[in-house]
Amino acid sequence: MLAFCSRAVAGMVRPCVLGRPRHLVKPVSATRVAGRYLSHQRGLPSLPVPPLQQTCERYMAALEPIVEADELSRTRRLVEEFQEAGGVGERLQRGLERRARGAENWLSQWWVQVAYLDFRMPVVVHSSPGLVLPRMDFRDRAGQIRFASRLIAGVLDFKTMIDNETLPVEYLGGKPLCMNQYYQVLSSCRIPGLKRDSVVNHARSSRPPKHITVAHNCQFFQLDVYSSDGTPLTPDQLCVQLEKICGASQEAEAEPVGILTAQHRDVWGKAYLRLISDETNKESVTAIQRSIFTLCLDGAPRGAAAELHRSSAAVQMLHGGGSRGHSGNRWFDKTLQFMVAEDGTCGANYEHAPAEGPPIVALIDHVVEYTRKPETPGSPAGSPPVPRRLRFNVTPEIRRDIEDAKVSVNSLAQDLDVRVEVFGHFGKNVPKAHKMSPDAFIQMALQLAYYRRFRRCCATYESASLRMFRLGRTDTIRSASSASASFVKAFDDPSKQNQEKVDLMENAVRAHRAYTNMAVSGQAIDRHLLGLKMQAAEENLPVPAIFTDPAYAKALHYRLSTSQVPSKTDCVMCFGPVVPDGYGVCYNPMEDHINFAVSAFNSCRETDAAVLAGAVEEALLDMRRLLDQNPRSKL
C-alpha cells in the first residue's frame, strides 16, 4: 500500500478474541439508551506517545533480522543522531506530545488520511478486503433471493443495536475497547477526489437513510427497507421486493457504471466529476452513497473445481472476476457490500477507511446466525414502495471512462492469484495444548515457510488492534524478529538437537507474544515513527535522514502482509499483497482447523500463492511433529 505503513489489514491480534462480541442472536433491545456510546467513549484512555529512546531502540532491534550488518551500522549512526539531546528527534517528539494533549487521538486523523484517503491505487485488491462465507445451501434464483432477504433482515437487526446504543461493549483483558468503528460501517461511503478522497457517513444525519442499494446485472436499485411506521420490512416482504428488482433487470446493463469505482483513484476522481455533472447521475450516485449498505445479487460464477470453490469465491469478493464477471455489479466505494450468487457463493467486500476487520466480522457473525434462526411471522405495516431504479445518462466520454476501467480491472484480476485453503490437521487446540499462543504459533509457521522458500527473512506485517484507546485503529506487530530468525535458521539444520529447536521455537513464540502485548498497549514503533515523520511535515522541517535511509524502506517493504481475523463463522478474509513481490496472508484459526487465504501477483516470478500455502501447511505439521517428539517441553 504505502511505503511507510503498508496495510492496515483487516484483522485483530489474538488477545482481541477475548473481546469478541457475545451478543450474537440474542434478542435486540428495542429501547434506546441515549448517550451510552458517548459516555463509554469518554471513559477510554488516549493513545500514548511512546518514549523516543524506546522506539529508537526497538526500531534497531526490528531491523536486525532483515538488514545486512553494514546497513545496520549506518542506520545505527543515523538513529543516534536523530535522538541526540536537543536534536530534531526531541523537537518532533515534543510536537507529537503537544498534539496528543489537544486531540482525542493524535494518530487517527493522520492515519486515515495517509493510509487510505491519500492512497491512489485502486481500492480493489490493494486496499479493500474480501470475506468468504461458507457456501450456502441453495443453487437457484429462488434460494438466492430467500437467503438475501434474510441477510438484509440480519443486518437491520444488528443496526438496531447500533442505533439504540445497546451494542455490548467489547473487552480485552478486562479493559473496555473503543466501539467507534461499529458506528462507521453502515450508511457510509468513500468519495473520490482529484488528489485525496473523503468519507461521508449519513447514519447520524438529520434524516438518516432508510434504504439499501441492490445491484443486479450491473443495474442499481434503491430499496426502502423500513415500513412507514419505522419497523424493518419482514423477510417475506424483502423477498417480494428483490423479485421485483430481478424481474426489472433481466438483461445486463449495456454500460456497467459501477466498474468505474474499481479504477485508479486519480482516474476515477476525474471521471466522477464528469459523471455527476449530470443531475440524474448525481441523484443516483447520491442514493448509493447514502444507502445503509449494498447488496450485490450475482449470477453463478464460472465453474470451478469443488476443491477450488473457496478460492474462486475469494476472487468474487475481492474484485468480482473482471468485466466479464461481476466487477460491474459492484460499487467498490461503498463501505459495506454483500455478495450473494445464485450458486450459494456468498461473502462481502468492505472499503477499509472507516474500520478494521473485527467490527465487520462481528456484524457478519450476527447476520449468519440470524439467517439460521427459525423465521418468525411478522405483521407488515402496509405495502412498501416499489424499488426505484437508479438511472444513469452515459455520455460518450463516460463510456470511454467505463472502457478504460474494464481494461484496468481485467489487468488487476488477471494478475491476482488467490488460494483459500483449509488446514484440517489441527487448529487452535494443538498450540493451546502446548501452552502457546495460536496466533504466535501460526506466525512462526509463516516465518518458517517463507525462510524455506527464499532462504532469507523478510519484513512482516501483522495488524494489532489499538481499540484499547479512544478512536484507536491499528499498529504493526513485526513478526520477523531476531528470535524468529534464530528459530527458522535452526529448524532444518541437522547439526541442531531437537530440544534446542524446541527451545528456539518457544523463544520465538514468546518474543511474538511480547511484541503483540507491546503493540496493543500503544508501545509499538511503526505508528510512532509515522507520527514523527508527519510532525516534521507539520512543522515544515526537512524529512529526517532516518526516513530516507534505505533500511527504513526495507523495513516497510512487507513481503509478508498478514492478519488474523477470528470469527465464530467458518469463514476467512482475504486481501492482496501490499508490494509487487509479496504475499497477503489472512487466517481464521478455528478449534480444530485453520482457514487460510494466501494471495500473490502472477506478474512476480518469485511468488506463488499455492506454493506458499503448501509450505505453510508443511511448516505447521513439522512444528507439531517436533513438539510431539518432545512432550515435556512447555512454555
Side-chain angles (χ1 to χ4, degrees):
M1 185 188 274
L2 297 173
F4 52 81
C5 65
S6 183
R7 166 191 298 282
V9 210
M12 62 182 174
V13 294
R14 174 64 183 86
C16 287
V17 177
L18 299 174
R20 203 163 60 213
R22 303 288 195 263
H23 57 261
L24 305 179
V25 224
K26 288 185 179 177
V28 170
S29 170
T31 306
R32 177 169 169 76
V33 185
R36 180 176 182 269
Y37 163 71
L38 283 176
S39 175
H40 163 69
Q41 291 295 111
R42 289 194 193 105
L44 295 170
S46 298
L47 181 69
V49 178
L52 180 63
Q53 183 179 349
Q54 171 185 289
T55 291
C56 289
E57 290 171 356
R58 289 174 174 175
Y59 173 52
M60 291 307 304
L63 291 177
E64 285 177 8
I66 60 172
V67 170
E68 299 298 327
D70 56 338
E71 278 187 276
L72 204 60
S73 296
R74 179 178 183 276
T75 301
R76 185 170 284 108
R77 288 194 298 273
L78 292 176
V79 169
E80 287 170 356
E81 289 172 14
F82 181 70
Q83 61 176 328
E84 281 177 352
V88 66
E90 283 196 354
R91 174 176 173 177
L92 298 177
Q93 178 76 2
R94 286 194 301 273
L96 264 192
E97 290 168 350
R98 277 195 308 274
R99 179 182 174 90
R101 287 192 293 272
E104 279 197 288
N105 185 306
W106 64 263
L107 173 65
S108 57
Q109 185 180 357
W110 275 345
W111 176 246
V112 172
Q113 171 192 319
V114 177
Y116 301 113
L117 304 181
D118 286 348
F119 182 60
R120 306 319 287 162
M121 294 292 283
V123 294
V124 177
V125 174
H126 296 290
S127 178
S128 298
L131 184 138
V132 181
L133 288 170
R135 193 172 189 177
M136 299 301 164
D137 190 23
F138 58 82
R139 299 293 180 270
D140 58 13
R141 168 76 61 78
Q144 175 190 31
I145 287 177
R146 168 54 56 185
F147 177 80
S149 69
R150 298 280 292 153
L151 183 150
I152 296 168
V155 177
L156 298 181
D157 190 63
F158 192 86
K159 180 176 179 291
T160 300
M161 286 190 286
I162 295 174
D163 293 344
N164 289 348
E165 300 187 41
T166 56
L167 196 66
V169 172
E170 296 170 11
Y171 289 82
L172 165 61
K175 296 181 179 179
L177 299 181
C178 178
M179 301 297 288
N180 176 67
Q181 293 177 38
Y182 282 97
Y183 294 83
Q184 307 304 317
V185 296
L186 298 177
S187 308
S188 61
C189 193
R190 183 164 171 158
I191 311 294
L194 296 179
K195 294 196 178 294
R196 174 185 294 171
D197 293 354
S198 58
V199 173
V200 292
N201 188 304
H202 298 281
R204 302 215 165 196
S205 62
S206 57
R207 296 179 59 196
K210 301 294 183 185
H211 70 279
I212 68 168
T213 301
V214 179
H216 181 249
N217 275 335
C218 302
Q219 296 164 69
F220 295 90
F221 293 81
Q222 175 176 320
L223 171 58
D224 292 337
V225 291
Y226 289 92
S227 301
S228 56
D229 65 354
T231 58
L233 297 190
T234 66
D236 285 342
Q237 288 177 304
L238 290 166
C239 267
V240 172
Q241 298 293 73
L242 293 178
E243 287 281 8
K244 290 177 183 174
I245 286 171
C246 290
S249 52
Q250 294 285 359
E251 300 299 322
E253 184 75 19
E255 302 298 345
V257 175
I259 209 166
L260 291 169
T261 62
Q263 258 290 23
H264 186 282
R265 302 308 294 178
D266 287 346
V267 177
W268 170 216
K270 293 173 185 174
Y272 177 79
L273 293 178
R274 288 191 284 270
L275 182 69
I276 64 170
S277 64
D278 176 279
E279 281 303 314
T280 298
N281 296 348
K282 185 176 183 178
E283 184 181 338
S284 295
V285 168
T286 300
I288 295 171
Q289 291 169 345
R290 282 182 49 82
S291 62
I292 298 166
F293 64 92
T294 295
L295 169 68
C296 306
L297 297 174
D298 292 347
R302 279 171 279 182
E307 66 274 13
L308 293 177
H309 176 263
R310 283 196 171 200
S311 300
S312 173
V315 162
Q316 293 302 316
M317 304 313 142
L318 278 169
H319 55 64
S323 64
R324 293 179 180 236
H326 299 109
S327 296
N329 202 46
R330 307 280 187 270
W331 196 269
F332 286 107
D333 287 355
K334 198 70 190 145
T335 302
L336 186 58
Q337 296 189 97
F338 288 95
M339 293 77 168
V340 181
E342 282 187 33
D343 70 341
T345 299
C346 296
N349 177 283
Y350 78 95
E351 199 287 302
H352 215 327
E356 313 305 333
I360 304 293
V361 167
L363 186 156
I364 287 173
D365 275 344
H366 183 93
V367 169
V368 170
E369 289 294 330
Y370 186 95
T371 63
R372 292 171 178 163
K373 285 197 309 180
E375 291 193 34
T376 53
S379 48
S383 180
V386 175
R388 182 169 72 92
R389 182 194 297 273
L390 301 177
R391 300 191 178 277
F392 290 94
N393 295 322
V394 178
T395 64
E397 197 170 16
I398 293 170
R399 191 169 289 116
R400 284 194 296 272
D401 291 334
I402 290 171
E403 291 305 311
D404 290 344
K406 288 180 181 179
V407 172
S408 175
V409 78
N410 288 343
S411 174
L412 189 53
Q414 289 161 13
D415 195 21
L416 187 71
D417 179 24
V418 187
R419 283 300 172 104
V420 175
E421 302 284 353
V422 179
F423 176 81
H425 302 279
F426 60 85
K428 294 184 289 188
N429 52 347
V430 165
K432 287 195 296 187
H434 291 277
K435 301 195 185 319
M436 292 186 179
S437 152
D439 180 60
F441 189 85
I442 294 168
Q443 284 288 330
M444 291 310 104
L446 285 169
Q447 292 298 310
L448 180 57
Y450 188 92
Y451 184 79
R452 283 173 162 175
R453 179 95 173 84
F454 296 103
R455 310 311 299 174
R456 64 176 184 264
C457 299
C458 71
T460 304
Y461 179 105
E462 182 187 4
S463 59
S465 173
L466 290 175
R467 288 178 57 213
M468 208 180 284
F469 306 101
R470 195 180 312 136
L471 303 183
R473 293 295 296 259
T474 64
D475 208 327
T476 307
I477 302 167
R478 288 190 166 269
S479 303
S481 63
S482 294
S484 72
S486 298
F487 161 62
V488 300
K489 289 173 183 176
F491 197 90
D492 295 317
D493 185 345
S495 70
K496 304 289 186 184
Q497 297 297 312
N498 278 355
Q499 186 56 54
E500 183 181 356
K501 294 177 183 180
V502 171
D503 292 343
L504 289 169
M505 185 196 302
E506 292 175 344
N507 191 38
V509 166
R510 275 195 298 268
H512 187 274
R513 288 294 299 149
Y515 204 113
T516 298
N517 292 336
M518 178 178 80
V520 300
S521 301
Q523 298 297 318
I525 64 173
D526 282 271
R527 301 301 181 261
H528 186 200
L529 289 171
L530 168 62
L532 293 167
K533 185 178 180 185
M534 294 293 287
Q535 187 64 31
E538 287 280 308
E539 298 186 25
N540 294 314
L541 295 174
V543 178
I546 64 164
F547 300 120
T548 58
D549 177 28
Y552 187 63
K554 191 173 286 189
L556 295 163
H557 190 85
Y558 295 112
R559 288 191 171 94
L560 281 176
S561 177
T562 75
S563 185
Q564 175 189 220
V565 184
S567 169
K568 180 180 178 181
T569 306
D570 196 8
C571 64
V572 67
M573 262 193 187
C574 48
F575 45 78
V578 299
V579 294
D581 56 346
Y583 295 95
V585 182
C586 196
Y587 51 95
N588 178 9
M590 308 297 281
E591 192 59 31
D592 60 0
H593 66 280
I594 307 169
N595 297 329
F596 280 98
V598 181
S599 66
F601 289 122
N602 291 315
S603 52
C604 177
R605 293 184 180 181
E606 281 191 356
T607 57
D608 185 302
V611 170
L612 185 69
V616 172
E617 177 171 2
E618 187 177 334
L620 285 165
L621 290 171
D622 288 347
M623 287 168 64
R624 181 181 71 170
R625 192 175 299 115
L626 178 65
L627 290 172
D628 288 346
Q629 290 168 357
N630 295 265
R632 288 174 298 177
S633 173
K634 292 185 178 181
L635 277 178

